[in-house]
Amino acid sequence: MTRLSVHKRCAIACGVALNLCVGYCLAEPVRVRYRAPDACPDEQAFLARVRAHTQELEIADPDSLARVLEVRIESDGEGYVAHLEFVDSQREHVARNISGQDCGELTDALALNLALLVEAESSPPEAVPKTAPDDKAAPPRLPTQAPKPLSPTPPKQPKSAQPSAVWSLGFSGRASSQIAPDPSYGLALGLSRLALWDPQGNDRVGGWRTTLDLNYQDSGPVTFEATSVRFRLLGVRGALCGGGTLRKPVFAELCGAAEVGYWAAKAERSERLPTARSGAATWGALGVPLTAGVAFDELQVFVTAGPWFPLNRERFTFSRPSSVVHEVQPISVSVDLGLRLAF
């Protein structure tokens, strides 16, 4: 949606108000149904701005039958979009959409032009004087009326509603305490899908995020029980997260996650091992990580951290001679720092 200057927004508001009120708003009392974000003036403030210019607008009693003028203002992430809906004098449904970056300007322009039209309709035009048949034709006297607002330019087509789901590609660096006695480090590449709770969009939008990533971790040489050991993990991690925007652009998500993979260890020759040995095992773990980050349009910077509970507390034991290299702890911690790009 192209952003409009203040003059263009006022012209659009004039045109919308003219089409809306002529033959409808001023012919009879009306009921205003007004909805707007917290950052915009509320219904009472909007009506007060109209009455600051005129006292001729008549609002219907709550219990009486009257046509409804609906004004709905929504945030689209970059500004505001106003939707105006009503039924005209021919009983046909009419809808208008206008947009702008400042909600106060939209409501001020609409209130001012409503007042101008109220004053114009409440003052009856002067009668046109009649001329005798034999008199010379004299230019007729036009009725006195308030100046009409400028003709509106056709409004730009508004942005379509946000999609119901947003896909993202993510990349992160990972540190973990679960596969080795010392921290191991690695990279993760993943795909995520955010299913929005409110596709129309607002400042506190949220939803359910599902993620799936492929990760590799490597401890490097670790000296453990007088033996140099290197641990590696190739795994797939999936998560289901729920969350939303805390205060734009900051967001947070709480996740339930699971990981499966292939875990391997290689021990070098040492006093306890006369020859190099290696071993492998399947890996599985469950976690409850928390994600927090900052969103810059399609780009997100995030940190994910939380506890993990390994499903197999494997201990690598090498025979001849027997040596326990490492036993997995019951609780471990994993931390990710990464970027996510929506497409």
Side-chain angles (χ1 to χ4, degrees):
M1 180 187 298
T2 304
R3 296 291 164 199
L4 304 176
S5 66
V6 173
H7 296 295
K8 289 185 178 181
R9 288 199 296 270
C10 289
I12 290 176
C14 293
V16 171
L18 178 62
N19 292 330
L20 183 64
C21 292
V22 172
Y24 166 58
C25 289
L26 307 176
E28 59 185 58
V30 296
R31 180 176 296 111
V32 178
R33 184 179 298 158
Y34 179 88
R35 290 184 292 170
D38 294 339
C40 299
D42 59 16
E43 179 177 348
Q44 296 302 322
F46 173 72
L47 295 178
R49 295 187 186 193
V50 178
R51 293 194 176 98
H53 301 286
T54 181
Q55 297 296 323
E56 301 296 332
L57 180 64
E58 185 175 356
I59 303 298
D61 295 332
D63 299 331
S64 63
L65 295 176
R67 295 189 224 175
V68 176
L69 164 62
E70 182 165 347
V71 180
R72 187 173 73 257
I73 303 176
E74 298 174 342
S75 171
D76 63 357
E78 300 176 1
Y80 296 90
V81 179
H83 307 278
L84 296 95
E85 299 183 11
F86 62 97
V87 178
D88 63 12
S89 57
Q90 284 76 37
R91 302 294 180 181
E92 294 183 359
H93 181 266
V94 179
R96 297 289 188 271
N97 297 314
I98 58 175
S99 65
Q101 293 183 343
D102 188 89
C103 190
E105 291 183 0
L106 293 180
T107 53
D108 283 340
L110 184 59
L112 174 61
N113 286 278
L114 282 173
L116 288 175
L117 289 168
V118 169
E119 294 292 343
E121 291 296 325
S122 61
S123 301
E126 297 182 6
V128 179
K130 298 181 180 180
T131 57
D134 297 335
D135 292 342
K136 293 183 180 180
R141 184 179 178 183
L142 298 177
T144 302
Q145 293 183 351
K148 293 184 178 181
L150 298 174
S151 299
T153 57
K156 300 290 185 180
Q157 290 294 331
K159 283 183 178 179
S160 58
Q162 296 184 18
S164 60
V166 179
W167 289 89
S168 302
L169 184 65
F171 176 82
S172 65
R174 179 167 297 172
S176 173
S177 66
Q178 56 189 359
I179 69 170
D182 293 342
S184 57
Y185 303 93
L187 300 175
L189 180 64
L191 187 67
S192 71
R193 179 181 183 271
L194 175 63
L196 299 175
W197 288 329
D198 181 10
Q200 294 299 324
N202 55 62
D203 286 344
R204 297 183 181 274
V205 68
W208 291 102
R209 182 185 301 277
T210 53
T211 64
L212 185 68
D213 65 52
L214 178 66
N215 68 88
Y216 172 77
Q217 298 178 47
D218 193 330
S219 68
V222 176
T223 301
F224 183 69
E225 295 185 357
T227 303
S228 178
V229 188
R230 186 172 186 177
F231 296 87
R232 294 184 178 93
L233 171 66
L234 181 62
V236 177
R237 180 176 294 185
L240 175 62
C241 309
T245 302
L246 298 178
R247 185 171 183 180
K248 201 171 183 180
V250 180
F251 67 92
E253 299 171 350
L254 179 63
C255 309
E259 184 177 55
V260 295
Y262 183 77
W263 183 39
K266 183 177 181 180
E268 304 296 335
R269 288 187 59 181
S270 67
E271 296 178 359
R272 302 188 62 179
L273 296 177
T275 60
R277 302 292 178 85
S278 62
T282 57
W283 173 261
L286 299 177
V288 189
L290 176 66
T291 298
V294 180
F296 303 97
D297 294 328
E298 286 79 16
L299 179 65
Q300 294 182 349
V301 180
F302 66 90
V303 176
T304 300
W308 285 82
F309 308 92
L311 299 179
N312 56 334
R313 296 184 57 196
E314 185 79 19
R315 68 164 61 189
F316 281 102
T317 303
F318 298 100
S319 59
R320 290 181 298 178
S322 177
S323 177
V324 177
V325 176
H326 171 57
E327 181 177 7
V328 176
Q329 299 301 312
I331 301 177
S332 60
V333 177
S334 178
V335 179
D336 283 59
L337 175 62
L339 302 174
R340 197 154 49 206
L341 182 63
F343 59 90

